[in-house]
Amino acid sequence: MTGAQAIVAILVKEGVDTVFGYPGGTNLPLFDALYDSPIHHVLTVHEQGAAHAADGYARASGKVGVCIATAGPGATNLVTGLANAFMDSVPVVAITGQVQTNLIGRDAFQEIDITGITMPVTKHNFLVKDITKLPAIMRRAFAIARSGRPGPVLVDVPRDVQSTKRDFAGIEANYSHAALVRQSPDLPALIAKAAAAVSAAKRPVLLAGGGCISANAGGALSAFVEKSNLPVATTLMGIGAFPGGHKNLLGMTGLHGLKLANQAVREADVLIVTGSRFNDRVTGDRASYAAGKTIIHIDIDPAEVHKNVDAAVPLVGEMNRILQELSDSVTPGDLSAWWATIKEWRQEYAATVSTETLSAPWVMQELNRQTAGRDVIYVTDVGQHQMWAAQYLEAKCPRSFLTAGGLGAMGFGMPAALGAQLAVPANRVIHIVGDGGLKMTGCELYTVAVEKLPIISIVINNYSLGMVRQLQHCFYDKRYVNSLLPVPMDFKAFAGAFAIPATVTNSPAEFSEAFATAWQRPGPGMIVANIATEDLVTPMIAPGGAIDDYVEMD
């Protein structure tokens, strides 16, 4: 078989059923091999869309997402998507075409050193010059992508390596999905130390990060929380790790975290952190964040331990096992006084959302109401709408709230939503985006239409780059430079260009009716929610401040 056929055979063996990409001169042998395969290839409008779609597919399914691009601009168009997956620890394998091996280094047409370009934003990458090594490299790419802390891997395959025929007998021999897991050498003793700290705690808080979702540890997390009766806060990436609406859930903490969650983390004497890298938007001032508390840090990646915040008890290893053993070892203490304090804060900091005017917080609460008891996956873009969604939506289970956290890549939402919908067709995907982000990758609506995906897109339209405007409002004396969008875009007409029905709403009643109608429709739909340009995301931590040091907004 050809090298391209060998690649496809390995994709099938890996359980890949869907790939996202765009054909070009240097990857045509691979596309030709896909023609006779059971794999569904999704033609995106742009290679960035292919990378984000593979990312969304992986987040929603827990499997490795796959994207394909040709050499040169095709490959470079993947970079933002790969960087986004890298920052959020998402397993993606990108396969790029490359010029023929005898042309590499000669500035041939569309020759780009994509392995050099992507080295900082992939777990590993390969340039395959020797066809005999192709099967082993492909298998290794998937193993690296999914093992330990997941992440993207790029495999660059010259056109002649794809086209050459050879005997690949035994391509599936000695095939294993086994992956090495690094762990602390003294893990049992450290778990005992952590259990003692949790048992003695008077004001414990568990902080669930995105690593808990990547590890499929939601069940073990919930069991540990239930046994110890712990309050739970989440990072942005950890939303869904613990059931939304649960009595123990305090909400998201951090830069735009809820005051209840921030206050509890601030006052905690023991903080159990599962799979968070202590990003600056989570901690604010790190010295004040860590002061006066014992930090127990559970993570698969030893590089994250002590990197941003020192941990009194670092637990490096497989999260399910650590949480289960920790739960078995803990003796629950009397937390009645702590829960009484949290109850007071919950009442004090409760948000009031007007039902008279259409606002993003009201939209999120209405989505909670109309989707109650239904299986949905929320996919957001980046900006104000993202923070409102994180604050108000109730993600009931892991992998039901997908968002671009570390890179904050505007344009993530639409292609990630189509990837998620193809990954989990039984669940309805609700895509939430701002009017700025939709302009970046909104043409992937064409892909949504071609694939007949029942995605409901909700455009939070405030006629501005809302988060940029908010920062200018608070820190740049309300000098709104290039953040206002004076020419309104006709989103209904835009969706109509792809034969997707859309409704423009200006009131709560109009939105409620529009969403109920969209839900009953079998195909895709769009709802534009026109809100006030002046609406701001609150609360917001002051730059460099503690997590209870809030910006005063007028």
Side-chain angles (χ1 to χ4, degrees):
M1 64 176 72
T2 65
Q5 289 169 330
I7 292 173
V8 171
I10 290 170
L11 293 179
V12 172
K13 184 65 177 177
E14 286 288 345
V16 174
D17 53 22
T18 306
V19 298
F20 306 87
Y22 209 97
T26 62
N27 65 9
L28 282 182
L30 180 53
F31 273 81
D32 187 65
L34 284 169
Y35 186 88
D36 297 314
S37 81
I39 296 172
H40 175 42
H41 179 271
V42 178
L43 175 67
T44 55
V45 175
H46 192 279
E47 290 91 352
Q48 181 180 346
H52 286 320
D55 182 327
Y57 181 97
R59 294 186 200 227
S61 67
K63 297 165 61 178
V64 177
V66 179
C67 56
I68 301 173
T70 193
T76 58
N77 284 341
L78 295 177
V79 173
T80 296
L82 293 175
N84 190 76
F86 182 75
M87 293 286 282
D88 288 349
S89 304
V90 180
V92 169
V93 168
I95 305 169
T96 51
Q98 183 55 276
V99 300
Q100 293 189 172
T101 51
N102 65 344
L103 295 177
I104 292 175
R106 298 176 181 273
D107 294 328
F109 176 66
Q110 293 193 333
E111 182 194 355
I112 285 290
D113 179 12
I114 194 61
T115 55
I117 289 171
T118 59
M119 189 175 293
V121 295
T122 54
K123 276 186 77 176
H124 198 74
N125 59 31
F126 301 89
L127 170 58
V128 188
K129 291 184 177 180
D130 184 349
I131 191 170
T132 65
K133 297 179 180 179
L134 178 61
I137 286 174
M138 286 301 303
R139 291 196 294 263
R140 190 176 171 204
F142 277 86
I144 292 171
R146 69 162 66 90
S147 66
R149 179 180 182 170
V153 177
L154 181 136
V155 184
D156 196 31
V157 190
R159 192 180 193 281
D160 55 317
V161 174
Q162 297 174 53
S163 300
T164 301
K165 283 189 175 184
R166 65 165 278 114
D167 182 4
F168 285 110
I171 192 172
E172 297 179 359
N174 302 317
Y175 194 81
S176 173
H177 288 280
L180 295 175
V181 177
R182 301 172 69 176
Q183 67 178 42
S184 304
D186 50 352
L187 189 57
L190 288 171
I191 290 175
K193 183 179 179 181
V198 175
S199 299
K202 300 299 181 184
R203 301 183 307 279
V205 172
L206 187 142
L207 176 60
C212 188
I213 297 172
S214 297
N216 297 314
L221 177 75
S222 293
F224 176 47
V225 169
E226 294 285 357
K227 178 178 179 180
S228 304
N229 195 28
L230 297 172
V232 179
T234 76
T235 66
L236 174 65
M237 294 302 301
I239 293 173
F242 191 74
H246 192 284
K247 62 182 179 60
N248 287 42
L249 184 63
L250 310 178
M252 183 180 71
T253 183
L255 175 68
H256 289 293
L258 301 181
K259 287 187 175 182
L260 170 62
N262 283 355
Q263 191 67 31
V265 170
R266 174 75 167 167
E267 298 297 327
D269 61 352
V270 174
L271 185 64
I272 309 104
V273 182
T274 61
S276 171
R277 62 181 181 271
F278 291 108
N279 179 271
D280 56 296
R281 292 200 164 198
V282 170
T283 65
D285 177 67
R286 292 189 174 107
S288 64
Y289 185 86
K293 56 174 63 71
T294 298
I295 294 179
I296 300 167
H297 190 182
I298 306 172
D299 207 286
I300 192 68
D301 186 357
E304 289 300 337
V305 174
H306 308 307
K307 185 178 80 175
N308 291 323
V309 173
D310 285 334
V313 189
L315 302 174
V316 177
E318 201 278 315
M319 192 172 296
N320 267 299
R321 175 196 166 188
I322 292 173
L323 285 172
Q324 288 166 6
E325 293 187 10
L326 189 57
S327 182
D328 291 341
S329 304
V330 163
T331 302
D334 180 9
L335 302 180
S336 56
W338 181 223
W339 276 111
T341 300
I342 290 173
K343 181 179 179 181
E344 293 176 2
W345 288 337
R346 196 184 292 274
Q347 293 172 346
E348 179 182 354
Y349 299 136
T352 301
V353 177
S354 171
T355 59
E356 301 300 318
T357 58
L358 189 61
S359 68
W362 182 90
V363 166
M364 306 309 161
Q365 291 185 341
E366 178 66 4
L367 292 177
N368 290 335
R369 186 186 72 82
Q370 290 210 32
T371 63
R374 293 167 167 172
D375 293 325
V376 297
I377 298 174
Y378 294 109
V379 182
T380 84
D381 208 88
V382 171
Q384 283 182 313
H385 71 275
Q386 176 191 30
M387 295 298 105
W388 280 315
Q391 290 175 339
Y392 290 96
L393 287 178
E394 293 182 358
K396 297 296 186 180
C397 62
R399 305 189 184 279
S400 63
F401 183 89
L402 314 184
T403 195
L407 190 66
M410 288 178 67
F412 167 81
M414 178 64 76
L418 74 89
Q421 188 67 82
L422 284 162
V424 191
N427 294 11
R428 194 76 179 265
V429 170
I430 299 174
H431 163 231
I432 303 170
V433 64
D435 48 326
L438 186 64
K439 293 183 178 74
M440 289 194 168
T441 57
C443 281
E444 294 300 344
L445 276 173
Y446 175 79
T447 313
V448 171
V450 169
E451 296 290 329
K452 299 180 175 61
L453 301 176
I455 297 168
I456 301 174
S457 289
I458 298 172
V459 184
I460 304 298
N461 183 26
N462 59 3
Y463 312 96
S464 68
L465 303 178
M467 191 58 80
V468 175
R469 181 193 175 279
Q470 176 162 334
L471 294 173
Q472 291 171 335
H473 179 92
C474 295
F475 305 119
Y476 293 90
D477 199 27
K478 303 179 184 178
R479 292 158 59 90
Y480 305 125
V481 181
N482 289 98
S483 58
L484 302 179
L485 305 175
V487 178
M489 180 171 172
D490 188 340
F491 292 107
K492 183 175 181 178
F494 180 67
F498 310 105
I500 293 176
T503 304
V504 178
T505 64
N506 296 285
S507 70
E510 290 177 352
F511 183 89
S512 293
E513 181 180 357
F515 186 82
T517 301
W519 185 273
Q520 297 302 319
R521 188 182 297 119
M526 176 182 286
I527 303 170
V528 182
N530 292 327
I531 68 169
T533 303
E534 296 74 24
D535 288 355
L536 302 176
V537 179
T538 59
M540 180 169 72
I541 295 174
I547 60 170
D548 59 350
D549 180 14
Y550 298 107
V551 174
E552 294 294 330
M553 301 184 191
D554 55 17

